């Protein structure tokens, strides 16, 4: 196979798997690892792939997300396990923030029987799940985003700015080991930043597909996170990549 053909095939191979190791690629294409490394260096220079610890990945750029109904159906079991794990970390008397999202909706479900908490959210769906809870439930207020059931805008950010909570459970559509937490919608960034600044502990709850994604707006560093909770489906190479940056990851 010619070098140019192999490079094209490497891109196709990695795109189908999202991430691959040098050893894996060398075995698949039946060449020395040194040859693969030269190919990867050239492909990274051409911005076709991104090198990682011991391998390479496709940089998926997030510009939007499906509507709430579609997102609520995708990776349902993984998100539910993440939420159950997160809920077990909530201690008696905690004041917590629930960011908007389908995973945090599952956290609300897991906490609705509790009576000893103060739960604040900008997610109408989460608030609805918690409506009969004996805990204290606070909704931030703000402009309604009907496609996602999010409350957002100046009122939301203003409310969050004046709060102090023990734990904030946040979500993100994109997460990169170099660039941190990213979002495609600049109007949703301020509320997320206020949540992070208002909490003693910031816990990112996210399914495995968000790792290694890029988007337009960076809104937080990895150092802003206390830890991440994700599913066992996460690629071990990606997990190691984040852990080498000092991020603690809990696997459900």
């Amino acid at each position: 196979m010619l070098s140019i053909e192999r490079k094209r095939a490497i891109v196709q191979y990695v795109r189908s798997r999202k991430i691959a190791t040098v050893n894996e690629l060398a075995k698949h294409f039946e060449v020395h690892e040194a040859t693969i490394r030269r190919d990867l260096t050239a492909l990274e220079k051409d911005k076709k792939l991104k090198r990682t610890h011991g391998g390479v990945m496709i940089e998926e750029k997030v510009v939007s997300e499906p509507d709430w109904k579609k997102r609520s159906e995708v990776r349902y079991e993984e998100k539910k396990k993440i939420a159950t794990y997160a809920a077990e970390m909530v201690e008696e008397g905690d004041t917590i923030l629930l960011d908007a999202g389908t995973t945090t909706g599952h956290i609300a479900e897991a906490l609705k029987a509790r009576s000893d908490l103060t739960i604040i959210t900008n997610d109408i769906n989460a608030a609805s799940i918690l409506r009969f809870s004996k805990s204290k439930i606070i909704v931030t207020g703000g402009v309604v985003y009907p496609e996602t059931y999010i409350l957002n805008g100046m009122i939301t950010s203003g409310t969050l700015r004046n709060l102090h909570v023990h734990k904030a459970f946040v979500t993100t559509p994109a997460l990169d080991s170099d660039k941190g937490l990213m979002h495609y919608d600049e109007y949703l960034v301020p509320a997320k930043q206020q949540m992070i600044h208002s909490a003693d502990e910031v816990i990112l709850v996210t399914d495995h597909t968000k790792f290694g994604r890029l988007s337009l707006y960076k809104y937080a560093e990895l150092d802003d996170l206390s830890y991440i909770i994700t599913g066992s489906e996460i690629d071990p190479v990606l997990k190691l990549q984040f852990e080498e940056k000092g991020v603690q990851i809990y696997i459900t």
Side-chain angles (χ1 to χ4, degrees):
M1 182 183 290
L2 296 175
S3 175
I4 190 169
E5 294 174 339
R6 187 174 58 250
K7 288 174 187 173
R8 189 180 300 118
I10 288 171
V11 172
Q12 293 173 344
Y13 182 92
V14 178
R15 182 171 286 120
S16 69
R17 291 161 174 78
K18 192 174 180 181
I19 191 166
T21 65
V22 171
N23 179 263
E24 176 186 349
L25 291 168
K27 287 182 178 178
H28 181 79
F29 291 101
E30 299 181 338
V31 295
H32 292 296
E33 289 189 9
T35 302
I36 289 295
R37 288 193 180 94
R38 286 195 295 272
D39 289 343
L40 297 183
T41 298
L43 288 167
E44 185 174 43
K45 186 177 180 181
D46 292 338
K47 298 185 177 180
K48 299 287 182 62
L49 299 171
K50 178 186 175 182
R51 297 292 294 274
T52 67
H53 178 85
V56 66
M57 63 184 293
I58 291 288
E59 287 192 333
E60 183 181 356
K61 292 177 173 62
V62 182
V63 296
S64 65
E65 285 192 295
D67 62 30
W68 183 88
K69 186 176 187 302
K70 288 181 180 177
R71 287 189 292 117
S72 68
E73 295 168 350
V74 174
R75 291 174 290 280
Y76 179 91
E77 290 302 326
E78 181 184 1
K79 292 175 181 179
K80 191 171 180 180
K81 287 178 183 178
I82 292 167
T84 300
Y85 194 105
E88 289 172 354
M89 293 186 166
V90 178
E91 301 175 78
E92 184 177 352
D94 268 353
T95 296
I96 68 169
L97 268 169
L98 292 182
D99 192 5
T102 52
T103 303
T104 46
H106 286 296
I107 297 177
E109 187 72 38
L111 294 176
K112 68 181 183 181
R114 297 278 295 268
S115 60
D116 57 321
L117 307 173
T118 297
I119 304 174
I120 305 151
T121 187
N122 67 328
D123 188 319
I124 293 175
N125 178 64
S128 176
I129 291 169
L130 293 163
R131 66 191 183 278
F132 296 124
S133 172
K134 293 183 179 179
S135 289
K136 184 176 184 179
I137 310 303
I138 300 173
V139 181
T140 61
V143 178
V144 178
Y145 280 49
E147 302 87 358
T148 55
Y149 307 122
I150 294 174
L151 294 169
N152 191 59
M154 288 180 62
I155 295 172
T156 308
S157 295
T159 300
L160 293 169
R161 190 178 300 116
N162 292 308
L163 297 177
H164 169 256
V165 301
H166 298 108
K167 297 178 177 74
F169 293 95
V170 299
T171 62
T172 191
L175 179 64
D176 181 78
S177 61
D178 293 323
K179 296 178 174 60
L181 282 69
M182 308 186 78
H183 209 287
Y184 57 86
D185 190 337
E186 62 182 302
Y187 295 108
L188 298 180
V189 163
K192 287 184 175 290
Q193 290 176 326
Q194 288 300 331
M195 287 185 181
I196 290 168
H197 294 154
S198 297
D200 292 335
E201 287 186 277
V202 180
I203 302 104
L204 178 65
V205 287
T206 185
D207 70 74
H208 74 285
T209 65
K210 306 302 191 298
F211 289 82
R213 283 181 164 189
L214 295 175
S215 202
L216 183 56
Y217 302 102
K218 174 179 176 176
Y219 66 90
E221 303 281 357
L222 292 179
D223 288 347
D224 292 323
L225 301 176
S226 302
Y227 46 88
I228 299 173
I229 304 174
T230 192
S232 58
E233 295 87 345
I234 185 174
D235 189 287
V237 175
L238 274 175
K239 179 176 179 287
L240 178 61
Q241 184 181 335
F242 278 81
E243 288 177 334
E244 288 180 337
K245 294 297 178 70
V247 181
Q248 186 172 9
I249 300 178
Y250 291 101
I251 305 298
T252 61

